[in-house]
Amino acid sequence: MTDPTTTSSVHRQAPGLLLALTPVILTLVAIGVQIFHFGDFTPHIPLAIGLAITSLVGIKLGFSWKRIEEGIFHVIHVSLPSVSVLICVGMIIGVWIASGTVPSLIYYGLTLLSPTVFLAAAMLLCSVVSLSLGTSWGTVGTVGLALMGIGAGFDIPMYWTAGAVVSGAFFGDKVSPLSDTTNLAPAVTGTDIFSHIKNLMPTTIPAMLIALAIYLGAGFTLIDDQNASFDRITAITTALETNFTISPWLLLPAVLVIALAVKRMPPIPSLFAGVLAGAVTAMLVQGAGLHEVVTYANYGYTIDTGVGAIDSLLNRGGIQSMMWTISLVLIALGFGGALEKTGCLEAIIRAIMARVRSFRGVQTSAMITSLSTNLVAGDPYLSIALPGRMYAPTYRGLGYSTLNLSRAIEEGGTLMSPLVPWNAGGAFVISALGLGIADGNVENLLYIPLAFACWLSPIIGVFYAQTGLFSPKASAEERRHWQEQGEAIATDLGACQAAAEENHPRHTQPTS
């Protein structure tokens, strides 16, 4: 008897560009209708519809449902560690509020920081913490939440504070050797992590300096330190002192997590250690009971201080608060997995690659492809892994170091992830920082253009690609490594061949 799965695989065919674009375009249309026509920012169902359309395209191409399902769950499985981080961060938020860690951070921030330098300080603080932790999500959900409270005390619009937090947190994620995406980018392009991080500096440092200057300028221009609402700040600090024990010692759970990260402990055990430390602190210092702490970890913290600005910030956290984000992430991952399994993403990327004629075009296309995968598939990991695998042979054929590729996909993948609201990164930022987009506070999406470091870095990268600055060609050692490792080297570059021969002798395999 013939296995129907095997039979169907024999007749599978690659999709043409039009067919490959069909589920992508229809899904984006569905998301647009949901957001702009109905005014409802819940992209779950449009993405689920996109998954169904992609599956139908796959069946038309000869894929069995079992094969499509394997692709869906493979991508979900690969990204489960990120879902675990979401769960841990949800627990940390609830427990660290109950322990007084977050209230203490807000209190000392309001009493020690100047409103005019707050945005710049917020970006720098998130940069340092994220660099130490190796996780942008962990930084956003802990320190970032406290900074949102400080910003509210200074009467700074939420979207400005969120932009500074995102800029700093995802900078650290991009260059930390502990970060999963920073390890993934060189892994899929065949480079080593420390060379990759070094090659990120020409775009990262200018972007951060420009962002820092903008935040400083905004602080001195938009915020009048002399006329800051001291009554509002006093009301918030008084409410915190009334309802919590405030002490520098309560910052120890955060210090513990950072210390474990510096010792290169894995993120999930480090974050869970922070949960336990916060739980013990809540019971010993704030007088919470064991069952209360468990409830805070699951359902989030609740309090009524009588100060609306504090209540809106502190009534949050818990595993259940992350379920909206987790469900969106899982659906988006499934959609991305279906697009990859059916060959739709590959067909689109190949169509782009067929039209590039030089290193400038390849470098720019790789970055745009990574960004586009973020937009369509909603998965930062897929936006790094897929273009990394697809473009690497072309870079080798052109004689350029794949360090250029690892930088392009890191910037199009890691840095652009939080700027796509239905992406895993964007959904988490919106949820953890309490931006309330789903509740109609659409103006808070302004954090996207205000996260300057995230989108300035790719722009600088495109400039380097066009000018040839900081775009290393492959060294003799790197080319020898390609040969020894049997790395794929494109030999059918078509119009790219002239550029390849101009820059380096081509590395071709003998043909029969």
Side-chain angles (χ1 to χ4, degrees):
M1 177 181 251
T2 304
D3 181 1
T5 300
T6 305
T7 302
S8 64
S9 67
V10 173
H11 298 289
R12 290 200 303 264
Q13 52 184 305
L17 180 59
L18 181 59
L19 185 59
L21 285 171
T22 298
V24 173
I25 294 172
L26 292 179
T27 302
L28 292 177
V29 168
I31 292 174
V33 170
Q34 178 81 347
I35 295 174
F36 300 109
H37 179 69
F38 295 116
D40 182 1
F41 186 82
T42 48
H44 300 62
I45 301 306
L47 287 171
I49 292 171
L51 197 161
I53 294 171
T54 308
S55 300
L56 291 174
V57 169
I59 291 171
K60 175 179 174 57
L61 293 169
F63 287 84
S64 68
W65 167 247
K66 182 178 179 180
R67 294 297 186 193
I68 298 171
E69 187 179 55
E70 286 175 357
I72 293 170
F73 287 111
H74 171 71
V75 173
I76 291 175
H77 174 74
V78 169
S79 300
L80 282 180
S82 297
V83 174
S84 302
V85 169
L86 283 172
I87 293 172
C88 288
V89 169
M91 289 190 287
I92 274 187
I93 293 172
V95 171
W96 281 14
I97 294 173
S99 70
T101 300
V102 170
S104 292
L105 282 168
I106 295 173
Y107 179 87
Y108 290 118
L110 287 171
T111 54
L112 297 176
L113 286 175
S114 165
T116 52
V117 301
F118 167 70
L119 292 174
M123 187 193 77
L124 291 176
L125 178 60
C126 285
S127 299
V128 172
V129 173
S130 188
L131 183 62
S132 303
L133 293 178
T135 166
S136 52
W137 292 7
T139 303
V140 168
T142 53
V143 176
L145 175 63
L147 289 168
M148 294 299 292
I150 299 169
F154 291 147
D155 206 19
I156 296 173
M158 290 183 73
Y159 43 81
W160 268 104
T161 305
V165 167
V166 169
S167 283
F170 283 82
F171 154 81
D173 193 312
K174 175 187 173 186
V175 298
S176 172
L178 303 176
S179 167
D180 48 5
T181 55
T182 307
N183 281 272
L184 177 61
V188 298
T189 57
T191 60
D192 70 273
I193 183 171
F194 293 105
S195 296
H196 167 65
I197 292 173
K198 181 180 178 181
N199 196 52
L200 290 172
M201 292 301 110
T203 56
T204 301
I205 293 175
M208 290 297 289
L209 290 176
I210 294 171
L212 183 64
I214 294 173
Y215 290 132
L216 282 172
F220 284 97
T221 303
L222 302 177
I223 303 164
D224 187 349
D225 204 354
Q226 300 300 319
N227 296 323
S229 180
F230 291 106
D231 289 340
R232 178 186 177 90
I233 294 172
T234 301
I236 292 174
T237 54
T238 301
L240 290 173
E241 287 181 304
T242 302
N243 292 277
F244 297 93
T245 298
I246 302 296
S247 168
W249 292 105
L250 297 179
L251 306 182
L252 285 177
V255 173
L256 172 64
V257 173
I258 293 174
L260 291 173
V262 170
K263 289 184 174 293
R264 300 199 173 186
M265 286 287 290
I268 294 174
S270 299
L271 291 172
F272 192 72
V275 174
L276 296 178
V280 171
T281 304
M283 290 187 287
L284 294 180
V285 179
Q286 306 296 345
L290 177 61
H291 184 257
E292 287 179 302
V293 171
V294 172
T295 302
Y296 297 148
N298 188 29
Y299 293 107
Y301 188 76
T302 56
I303 191 173
D304 183 7
T305 66
V307 180
I310 285 293
D311 292 345
S312 63
L313 281 164
L314 299 186
N315 288 320
R316 66 181 62 255
I319 293 175
Q320 300 308 315
S321 71
M322 292 292 161
M323 286 302 143
W324 187 94
T325 303
I326 290 173
S327 61
L328 176 57
V329 168
L330 293 177
I331 296 171
L333 292 175
F335 177 48
L339 285 171
E340 183 182 28
K341 188 67 176 181
T342 56
C344 291
L345 283 180
E346 182 176 345
I348 296 170
I349 292 175
R350 289 198 182 281
I352 296 172
M353 292 172 63
R355 288 164 173 76
V356 296
R357 300 179 177 277
S358 64
F359 167 77
R360 295 191 298 274
V362 172
Q363 182 73 357
T364 305
S365 297
M367 191 179 301
I368 293 174
T369 300
S370 188
L371 167 61
S372 301
T373 307
N374 253 328
L375 285 167
V376 173
D379 177 23
Y381 299 99
L382 197 60
S383 70
I384 291 174
L386 189 62
R389 294 197 305 263
M390 295 287 295
Y391 279 91
T394 302
Y395 278 80
R396 299 186 189 110
L398 287 170
Y400 275 84
S401 173
T402 51
L403 286 169
N404 297 291
L405 173 59
S406 64
R407 184 173 69 198
I409 60 176
E410 179 89 87
E411 292 176 342
T414 301
L415 289 183
M416 302 310 291
S417 168
L419 308 188
V420 181
W422 54 86
N423 185 283
F428 175 74
V429 165
I430 290 169
S431 175
L433 296 183
L435 298 182
I437 307 300
D439 298 326
N441 300 314
V442 183
E443 71 279 0
N444 286 332
L445 285 176
L446 286 172
Y447 86 88
I448 295 172
L450 296 177
F452 298 106
C454 290
W455 55 262
L456 278 171
S457 193
I459 289 176
I460 294 171
V462 171
F463 172 75
Y464 290 158
Q466 301 306 311
T467 60
L469 294 171
F470 301 107
S471 302
K473 297 182 175 69
S475 65
E477 181 181 353
E478 188 173 2
R479 295 198 297 272
R480 185 167 57 251
H481 175 75
W482 297 341
Q483 298 290 348
E484 291 173 353
Q485 297 298 318
E487 299 283 9
I489 301 175
T491 59
D492 56 345
L493 297 175
C496 295
Q497 289 178 2
E501 291 169 351
E502 178 183 346
N503 292 303
H504 279 294
R506 292 199 306 132
H507 299 278
T508 58
Q509 300 296 331
T511 56
S512 55

